[in-house]
Structures are given as C-alpha cells and as structure tokens.
Amino acid sequence: MRRSKKDRQDLLRETIEKTPFITDEELAKKFAVSIQTIRLDRMELTIPELRERIKHVAHSQWDETVKSINIDEVIGEIIDLELDERAISILDIKPEHVFTRNQIARGHHLFAQANSLAVALIDDPFALTFHSEITFTRQVKLHERVVAKAKVIRQDRKRTVIQVDSAVDQEEVFKGTFEMFRSSVKEGK
C-alpha cells in the first residue's frame, strides 16, 4: 500500500534525523519512490542534500577539535573522531575522482582520504606522515561510497602508528599503516 505524501514526508524526516548520512538513492529504495520524489520532498521539508548535511555535521563537530590540519583539507568528510584514538570519514566517488575511460577511482584519492584522516586523528598541531605501507585490495568505481576507519595502534615519544581500513559496502578496498611524526605525545599515552 502506498503511503500518503504527508506520511512519506514525516517518515522521510524521521529517517534522515536517525541516519543523516543516508543517500537519496537509498531513501528512494526504502520508500519505493523515484529519486526525484525524494529530492522534491526534501526541498519541501527544507532538508539539505547529503553533502550539505555531512558538511554541517563535520564543521559543527570537528572544526574546533582537529588540531593538525584544517578541516577543509581533509579528503572526504569526517563523521566520527576521537583524537589519538579513532576516526571515520566518508568519500563519495564522483566523476572528478575517476579515470574517464573506465570509471575507476584514481588511487591517489583513496590514499589521500586515508592519509588526511590519519593526520586529522593526531592530537597535536604538528603532525606529518613519516612512513606508510598501503595496499589497494579492489577497484572503486564511480558513485561508490568509501568509508575509511582509522585507529591508533601504537604511540611512542614522537611517533604514532595508525591503521586505516577503507571499505565500500563493508568490502575492503584499501588498507594502510601510517607512521606519523608529531611534536609531542601527551602524558599517560
């Protein structure tokens, strides 16, 4: 049974409030309507598009928190961050990220997402990548969403080692270990 427009819009608002990073495509499938219908409903409800919702969350939560890099310099959008512990970012693969001939994402975008997330994770105004070991485990294609998860695995006097795992729909596409130089390590770490 089809929902009324009002019911659909109420459920749409509720769904986006619960999961702000859901795409219009996912919403269209969930409500069994066209993507255009979802976009029109969002406009009527004054709900911004996904990219704007992500930017709003990122800027409001992380702009004051991230010390080692300007939040606008992070490749992808940070959606979770606990300095010197863990972080998550998402990167939606767009035409500017892929080779035009085969629609496969250029590797330097995946590396940049992981590396900038590792830098942002450091609780220090001075952080640089000292060494990295990376592996690309599968191709990423146009319109896929890459979720990068970073966690600190070791710290010593001036170095922090961070593991970054990137996935598309829970399937690993990239993994890397980043050894980061920092000016200092907080006491007790």
Side-chain angles (χ1 to χ4, degrees), residues 47-189:
I47 297 171
E49 67 177 333
L50 174 66
R51 184 159 181 80
E52 293 305 312
R53 294 193 307 265
I54 291 169
K55 279 184 180 178
H56 175 73
V57 170
H59 280 280
S60 64
Q61 289 186 346
W62 315 125
D63 199 29
E64 299 296 320
T65 305
V66 175
K67 296 178 181 179
S68 58
I69 189 173
N70 184 323
I71 194 74
D72 295 326
E73 296 171 331
V74 175
I75 306 302
E77 303 290 339
I78 295 176
I79 60 170
D80 187 30
L81 174 68
E82 188 174 330
L83 292 175
D84 282 341
E85 296 290 332
R86 61 181 168 70
I88 300 172
S89 75
I90 59 174
L91 176 64
D92 289 320
I93 303 301
K94 297 182 177 169
E96 62 266 24
H97 300 125
V98 300
F99 293 107
T100 53
R101 183 175 53 89
N102 56 18
Q103 306 297 294
I104 294 172
R106 296 176 174 156
H108 66 270
H109 293 292
L110 301 179
F111 174 82
Q113 178 190 22
N115 187 66
S116 64
L117 186 61
V119 171
L121 182 53
I122 302 294
D123 188 7
D124 192 300
F126 182 76
L128 297 171
T129 304
F130 174 75
H131 176 78
S132 66
E133 292 182 20
I134 63 168
T135 305
F136 295 92
T137 54
R138 102 149 162 83
Q139 297 172 342
V140 177
K141 299 193 184 249
L142 181 64
H143 303 302
E144 289 187 315
R145 172 174 286 172
V146 181
V147 178
K149 296 180 180 182
K151 67 178 178 180
V152 172
I153 56 175
R154 186 174 66 248
Q155 283 188 353
D156 59 31
R157 261 186 57 205
K158 293 204 175 216
R159 302 265 166 83
T160 299
V161 179
I162 297 170
Q163 176 69 42
V164 180
D165 297 300
S166 299
V168 172
D169 294 326
Q170 279 90 42
E171 181 182 356
E172 182 181 77
V173 296
F174 173 95
K175 61 182 174 181
T177 303
F178 295 83
E179 187 174 348
M180 309 302 290
F181 176 82
R182 61 191 300 147
S183 62
S184 63
V185 174
K186 285 184 173 180
E187 292 297 317
K189 289 270 181 182

